[in-house]
Amino acid sequence: MKMRPLVKLGMVFAAVIALGSFGYNSLHKVQPALAEGANPKTDKIRLQPGFKVEHLFSPSDAKIGSWVAMCFDDKGRMIASDQYGGLFRLTIPAIGSKDNTPKIEKLKFGKGADTLGIGNAHGLLYAFNSLYVMVNARVAPVNPPAATPGRNPNFAPSYAPRGSGLYRVQDLDGDDQFDKITLMKEFKGEGEHGPHSIILSPDKKSIFLINGNHTDVPPMDAYRLPKNWHEDNLFPLIKDPRGHANDRYAPGGYVMNIDPDGKKWELISAGYRNAFDIAFNEVGDLFAYDADMEWDFGLPWYRPTRINHVTSGSEHGWRTGNSKWSPSLPDNLPPVLNIGQGSPTSLLSLRDAKFPAKYKKSLLAFDWTFGIAHLIKLKPQGSTYLADREEFLSGIPLPLTDGVVGPDGALYFLIGGRRLESDLYRVYYTGPEEATMKQVASQITPLNELRRKLEVFHNGPNPAAVATVWPHLNSPDRFVRYAARIALEHNPADSWKDKALNEKDPVSAINALIGLIRMDKPENKNAINAALLKIDNKGFNEALQIDYIRAFELNILRNGLPDASQSSAIVAKFDALYPARQMNLTRSLSRILVTLEAPNIIPRTLKLLETKDTASVAAYRVETATSSADLIMRNPQYGTDIARMLEKIPPAQQTYLATMLSAAKNNWTPELHDRYFAWFRKGFEYQGGRSYVGFIDRARKLALKNVAESQRAKYDKMSGADLLTANGNDLVKVNAPKGPGRNWKVDDAVALLDAPLTNRDFQNGKSMFAATTCRNCHAVGSDGGGNVGPDLTNLGTRFSKKDILEAIIDPNKTVSDQYAASQLMLRNGTSVVGRITNQDKVAFYVSQNPYAPDQVEKVLKKNVTSVKYSGVSPMLAGLVNSLNPEELKDLMAYLMSGGSEANAMFAKPAAK
């Protein structure tokens, strides 16, 4: 997940203004950010009670990279990989040793020299007397391109001796040095959405792998998810306005299974965005931790990071741009748990950890961006699971990259990635409860067992399949119904088509007909519609109505529009249901009714654009913004879009319906067009992720295509064209920095400003104060909002240019407790991060959003176990990197003058 910086300049100048006689420390007693003599590597980490963390090694300090993957070999040694470099082997002292420093060995390949070179791994597995390496890299071209000016070097392309793929590394002569590297499968794709993790199956007989959505699916020997995937969405396609994943189509990220020698490759599951890792629980069910698209914040197709149950043949609905499927649709499966914003990295099971029994059935999900290891507490629910989550460990900052349970039962984890500071840690239990490495006895539920029996028929045609799975097409368990339908799709359509067309049970019929549609036989279109129209949907609940509508939608998408008679009959089935009280049902109805031009669908939909969100929409917004406010101060660099969105949350349901209406080509009147295009202008008032404005603009432009050319200019202006930049991706900003910016360093900036500031531009300095969003948190004179950060009016009279520049460019150097964020650890294992603005006898009041500082969360003191300052400034370093030298001079003059245009720095030379 990559987001733009959160600008919170105020914290760096905290020493300028005191809070008066009633300071922060007088509010409550807290632990300092770092006690004298403490270890900064471990002091920032919060753990659940009874656990101890040890810092073992710093690869970055040793100048050997930033590590992102690890495993243990058959001798109990760790093997780790630098994200952009080689492999290393570590012999780690046992728990309780006086010296925990590992013995580090850079792995060599070949005889006496690193002649074969391998590294750049996102996944490592030692099994079958071999090291399996998931390389994620591109091979260096003959003439590599020059570096892009101004680009962050942490995101620059990385080249390696070997390109992306799965490699098997072996020691054939038994000298404890690897001497053979075999490419088992090349993957086309690299980078942060490329090849990722690799794990051993529970029976230790095969291997599972996962790749991100920018990695092509290679030819497979078998497909548990039938290779009949399409984009499958009647919603008008808008690709990401900024170009992300615009050439990536179904099936998205995917999970594979192979034998140890890589002779058989089988596709297990797909439809992920960018799940980095997978893990089996104690009963052998597989899970993935999938990523969100943070640029979609505030949009109806935003999907939070989530835990998915990876069942045989499962599809999880990722599609490019705004075409991501709703989890409510029957041809994909819902998540076990929505987590919220973040950057998933590692997922691991605690079944083998030497931890108390209450942890053994849980997973750990690592979030790189916000530094949280989520404890995922799985709860069997039918054939699948639901889950709760707690914080197992966290830190600010703590960019978690990988975790593994070692042979000693301890948890080992890495931080780093993107060339950041990297460290290796060990966590083990020292509390009063019994801790054992024995797995906790568990049994699968009867429905889980049934699902697995049905999944046996996902291996290709089987004469017994249809009769076996058919009775389960109407199972009340969604995952069982899904497994039964996928089994049908593995068999020739002609062997079960008539049975599907004549099925009397409505639930069985809908699922069987969805399977028949997915067999891509256009000649069945009319017969399928006729069979669907025979179903009486009166009395259907929301989920079943959505399934029923989806069957018609898929038939249109796969086989074509119905004839006039069937079209009228389909509209008659659903017209009276629109709009529904439920959000997802209303969306499904809008897709089918707008496509088939239902009577008065336009004015009915416009009415929804002019009314407030329903309760279900409000609930949805809470669900997909889980703990959003809490994340802002955990990582200010990545919290900007969250903070801004929460200040002005877009109306997601209105956005969805307005976009759907862009497909309505007929039955418009001038009055309807006026109402419709006025909505777009209003839509630009809200704030979302980086692509929010661009998506609204692209929907607007789709709608304009349905306007008579003579009226297009009128509606273009009415809908907000004048508010937008030329490419439509951003709102026009007054007095934005002209740049080009640079990655300012303190020494460079001090050298620039060494000479006295004269003949500066006051208005431009004031504009830069706003353009860098300093004024969001600070005041200079009467300019700005100083209720979040300190008032800067007297800055120039108390500090030198160097002091001010150092505070701006390196804000973590000094963080005053007056403006620091605090982390409140709660008894339920979670924590709250924000700025404590007040307290009374029963509660703390915590402000978490600098863009909405008056919004506070009440945290009951009885639920708080400890409070500790964050040692990291909530302000991002490099705030001024968008400014060119002259703009930086003007900003500094503005700050040092206290916002006074009469200051001599702004005096113009006398005319000669």
Side-chain angles (χ1 to χ4, degrees):
M1 160 177 175
K2 300 172 283 295
M3 291 188 290
R4 292 156 65 186
L6 171 61
V7 179
K8 199 161 191 284
L9 178 60
M11 310 316 171
V12 303
F13 294 126
V16 179
I17 302 295
L19 283 177
S21 60
F22 189 63
Y24 182 84
N25 282 328
S26 65
L27 288 176
H28 58 283
K29 293 188 179 296
V30 298
Q31 303 172 42
L34 180 63
E36 185 177 354
N39 184 347
K41 298 288 189 181
T42 57
D43 205 59
K44 64 184 177 182
I45 296 174
R46 304 290 175 272
L47 287 162
Q48 290 215 350
F51 289 90
K52 181 177 180 180
V53 61
E54 294 178 339
H55 177 258
L56 300 177
F57 181 64
S58 294
S60 51
D61 291 351
K63 309 299 182 186
I64 52 176
S66 190
W67 293 1
V68 297
M70 61 180 168
C71 68
F72 281 91
D73 68 12
D74 59 346
K75 294 181 174 63
R77 298 169 298 188
M78 178 181 290
I79 299 175
S81 180
D82 175 20
Q83 185 175 3
Y84 304 112
L87 301 180
F88 300 85
R89 187 159 59 190
L90 291 75
T91 302
I92 301 175
I95 294 171
S97 300
K98 291 183 178 180
D99 184 358
N100 286 328
T101 306
K103 176 185 174 183
I104 312 293
E105 171 192 3
K106 183 174 183 181
L107 289 178
K108 301 290 185 180
F109 304 94
K111 296 302 178 183
D114 190 3
T115 57
L116 300 178
I118 192 168
N120 299 73
H122 274 208
L124 294 169
L125 170 68
Y126 193 94
F128 310 108
N129 203 31
S130 304
L131 175 66
Y132 294 89
V133 184
M134 285 282 274
V135 172
N136 184 325
R138 65 180 74 176
V139 177
V142 177
N143 297 306
T148 304
R151 182 174 184 176
N152 187 328
N154 288 348
F155 305 117
S158 177
Y159 302 111
R162 298 174 185 272
S164 291
L166 175 64
Y167 295 80
R168 186 178 191 177
V169 186
Q170 296 170 286
D171 171 18
L172 298 182
D173 60 11
D175 66 352
D176 205 30
Q177 297 295 320
F178 294 110
D179 46 43
K180 182 181 181 181
I181 300 178
T182 304
L183 175 62
M184 301 181 72
K185 178 76 73 173
E186 178 184 4
F187 293 129
K188 292 184 178 180
E190 72 277 326
E192 295 189 355
H193 292 243
H196 292 316
S197 296
I198 177 169
I199 64 172
L200 190 64
S201 65
D203 63 8
K204 301 186 182 342
K205 294 180 180 179
S206 65
I207 296 168
F208 284 76
L209 314 87
I210 188 165
N211 287 343
N213 62 337
H214 284 210
T215 312
D216 295 348
V217 179
M220 297 281 171
D221 301 299
Y223 295 83
R224 284 188 167 265
L225 175 64
K227 196 179 177 182
N228 58 358
W229 49 71
H230 291 273
E231 300 307 298
D232 284 339
N233 204 330
L234 278 178
F235 196 58
L237 172 62
I238 302 175
K239 296 182 179 181
D240 182 77
R242 297 184 184 274
H244 183 79
N246 282 358
D247 61 347
R248 307 308 305 174
Y249 296 99
Y254 52 97
V255 176
M256 303 159 284
N257 176 242
I258 64 170
D259 64 276
D261 298 320
K263 294 180 179 179
K264 181 181 179 182
W265 288 72
E266 184 177 40
L267 184 75
I268 300 297
S269 173
Y272 305 93
R273 181 176 184 263
N274 191 33
F276 255 68
D277 207 355
I278 47 180
F280 287 98
N281 71 351
E282 79 285 354
V283 297
D285 278 318
L286 185 60
F287 299 86
Y289 182 18
D290 201 8
D292 64 346
M293 173 46 165
E294 68 279 3
W295 293 359
D296 289 349
F297 286 169
L299 291 161
W301 44 88
Y302 171 73
R303 306 199 311 178
T305 64
R306 55 194 197 154
I307 303 295
N308 291 104
H309 186 185
V310 184
T311 58
S312 171
S314 57
E315 157 74 74
H316 294 275
W318 178 86
R319 296 297 185 267
T320 193
N322 68 344
S323 288
K324 302 168 187 70
W325 297 358
S326 166
S328 65
L329 298 181
D331 40 337
N332 76 154
L333 291 173
V336 170
L337 176 69
N338 281 332
I339 292 181
Q341 293 86 12
S343 291
T345 49
S346 182
L347 184 69
L348 64 147
S349 171
L350 295 177
R351 64 184 186 275
D352 296 319
K354 192 176 181 181
F355 287 3
K358 65 183 180 181
Y359 293 96
K360 307 279 279 184
K361 296 183 180 181
S362 298
L363 308 175
L364 277 186
F366 283 11
D367 173 9
W368 180 87
T369 295
F370 297 108
I372 303 172
H374 300 283
L375 184 70
I376 309 300
K377 302 166 69 175
L378 297 169
K379 301 180 295 184
Q381 179 78 16
S383 70
T384 183
Y385 299 81
L386 296 177
D388 294 324
R389 67 184 174 100
E390 297 178 1
E391 254 179 56
F392 179 75
L393 63 82
S394 63
I396 306 174
L398 197 71
L400 297 160
T401 57
D402 198 14
V404 64
V405 174
D408 56 0
L411 168 68
Y412 292 80
F413 70 88
L414 289 167
I415 67 169
R418 293 184 182 173
R419 299 185 174 91
L420 296 177
E421 181 178 330
S422 186
D423 292 287
L424 170 64
Y425 294 90
R426 173 167 59 196
V427 172
Y428 53 94
Y429 187 71
T430 60
E433 298 181 50
E434 181 183 2
T436 174
M437 293 178 65
K438 292 181 180 180
Q439 292 192 17
V440 176
S442 296
Q443 290 187 342
I444 60 174
T445 66
L447 284 172
N448 191 316
E449 184 177 7
L450 171 61
R451 173 180 55 75
R452 297 184 188 198
K453 289 180 179 178
L454 299 180
E455 290 168 352
V456 171
F457 295 102
H458 294 178
N459 288 314
N462 187 315
V466 175
T468 302
V469 307
W470 201 274
H472 304 292
L473 289 170
N474 68 351
S475 169
D477 186 287
R478 180 172 173 179
F479 279 65
V480 169
R481 295 196 304 270
Y482 182 95
R485 176 178 59 76
I486 292 294
L488 286 183
E489 294 181 26
H490 277 277
N491 292 272
D494 289 344
S495 69
W496 51 276
K497 178 182 74 172
D498 290 343
K499 190 172 178 65
L501 293 172
N502 292 289
E503 175 60 52
K504 302 300 182 184
D505 179 83
V507 179
S508 296
I510 290 169
N511 284 285
L513 291 169
I514 286 175
L516 185 60
I517 294 165
R518 286 169 48 85
M519 301 301 285
D520 292 327
K521 302 284 186 180
E523 64 272 19
N524 293 328
K525 178 184 72 173
N526 290 340
I528 290 171
N529 278 334
L532 286 170
L533 286 167
K534 291 178 182 177
I535 295 173
D536 182 2
N537 64 322
K538 294 177 182 177
F540 280 5
N541 61 23
E542 179 194 10
L544 193 50
Q545 292 283 15
I546 289 173
D547 291 358
Y548 188 40
I549 296 167
R550 182 60 169 169
F552 285 109
E553 180 180 12
L554 287 170
N555 203 23
I556 292 171
L557 288 160
R558 299 269 182 143
N559 300 323
L561 286 166
D563 60 33
S565 175
Q566 287 188 335
S567 179
S568 296
I570 295 169
V571 169
K573 280 280 187 183
F574 302 113
D575 198 46
L577 299 177
Y578 183 80
R581 293 182 178 179
Q582 301 89 358
M583 177 192 70
N584 286 318
L585 180 53
T586 295
R587 292 182 184 183
S588 289
L589 288 165
S590 75
R591 292 196 301 275
I592 197 77
L593 294 175
V594 169
T595 300
L596 298 181
E597 298 186 339
N600 298 316
I601 187 63
I602 293 173
R604 283 188 287 166
T605 303
L606 287 175
K607 186 176 180 180
L608 297 178
L609 302 188
E610 296 162 350
T611 56
K612 292 184 178 181
D613 286 354
T614 64
S616 63
V617 177
Y620 170 81
R621 290 190 340 208
V622 170
E623 177 187 0
T624 59
T626 303
S627 301
S628 292
D630 180 56
L631 298 177
I632 296 169
M633 290 190 179
R634 290 179 185 266
N635 190 329
Q637 179 177 356
Y638 291 89
T640 299
D641 290 343
I642 298 174
R644 290 175 176 168
M645 184 190 73
L646 293 178
E647 182 187 15
K648 294 182 179 179
I649 300 177
Q653 188 76 329
Q654 292 181 16
T655 303
Y656 190 94
L657 297 173
T659 303
M660 190 64 232
L661 271 186
S662 70
K665 300 183 183 302
N666 302 310
N667 304 315
W668 289 95
T669 67
E671 184 265 339
L672 293 175
H673 268 147
D674 287 351
R675 292 167 60 190
Y676 183 38
F677 286 106
W679 181 90
F680 285 102
R681 192 174 193 91
K682 184 178 180 181
F684 291 125
E685 296 176 1
Y686 300 100
Q687 297 178 358
R690 192 163 180 247
S691 290
Y692 173 78
V693 170
F695 272 116
I696 301 299
D697 177 61
R698 299 313 186 273
R700 184 184 73 90
K701 288 174 179 173
L702 286 177
L704 285 169
K705 291 181 179 180
N706 299 327
V707 175
E709 189 171 350
S710 61
Q711 296 293 304
R712 205 163 290 167
K714 168 188 171 182
Y715 287 115
D716 188 34
K717 182 176 181 180
M718 180 185 293
S719 58
D722 57 308
L723 303 176
L724 303 169
T725 57
N727 63 13
N729 288 344
D730 299 285
L731 299 178
V732 173
K733 295 180 180 179
V734 178
N735 298 321
K738 295 183 175 61
R742 64 178 62 180
N743 186 21
W744 285 103
K745 304 297 183 184
V746 173
D747 290 345
D748 296 335
V750 170
L752 174 71
L753 294 164
D754 187 48
L757 289 169
T758 59
N759 195 26
R760 302 319 311 163
D761 186 326
F762 175 82
Q763 288 301 326
N764 193 50
K766 184 174 182 178
S767 295
M768 294 307 99
F769 184 65
T772 54
T773 66
C774 299
R775 73 186 310 275
N776 286 4
C777 301
H778 298 276
V780 172
S782 61
D783 182 20
N787 60 329
V788 177
D791 189 304
L792 305 180
T793 306
N794 297 318
L795 194 67
T797 65
R798 308 177 84 179
F799 294 94
S800 68
K801 295 175 188 175
K802 182 179 180 180
D803 292 333
I804 298 171
L805 288 167
E806 195 171 64
I808 296 172
I809 296 171
D810 187 14
N812 292 329
K813 186 172 183 180
T814 302
V815 184
S816 169
D817 59 12
Q818 295 176 358
Y819 292 96
S822 293
Q823 186 172 16
L824 289 74
M825 298 301 301
L826 307 183
R827 297 187 187 281
N828 65 2
T830 62
S831 69
V832 173
V833 177
R835 191 164 151 258
I836 299 175
T837 60
N838 203 350
Q839 70 168 316
D840 53 31
K841 292 182 179 180
V842 297
F844 295 110
Y845 298 87
V846 183
S847 174
Q848 298 181 303
N849 189 346
Y851 292 105
D854 294 333
Q855 297 176 9
V856 296
E857 180 178 354
K858 182 178 180 180
V859 182
L860 296 178
K861 287 184 175 180
K862 66 180 182 181
N863 296 331
V864 177
T865 60
S866 67
V867 181
K868 188 169 185 179
Y869 290 139
S870 166
V872 177
S873 172
M875 175 193 164
L876 174 71
L879 176 69
V880 294
N881 285 351
S882 61
L883 307 184
N884 64 34
E886 296 304 310
E887 290 167 335
L888 180 58
K889 288 180 181 179
D890 289 340
L891 173 61
M892 285 294 292
Y894 182 76
L895 291 172
M896 296 181 70
S897 72
S900 171
E901 191 171 5
N903 191 283
M905 288 182 285
F906 303 113
K908 301 302 178 185
K912 294 183 179 179

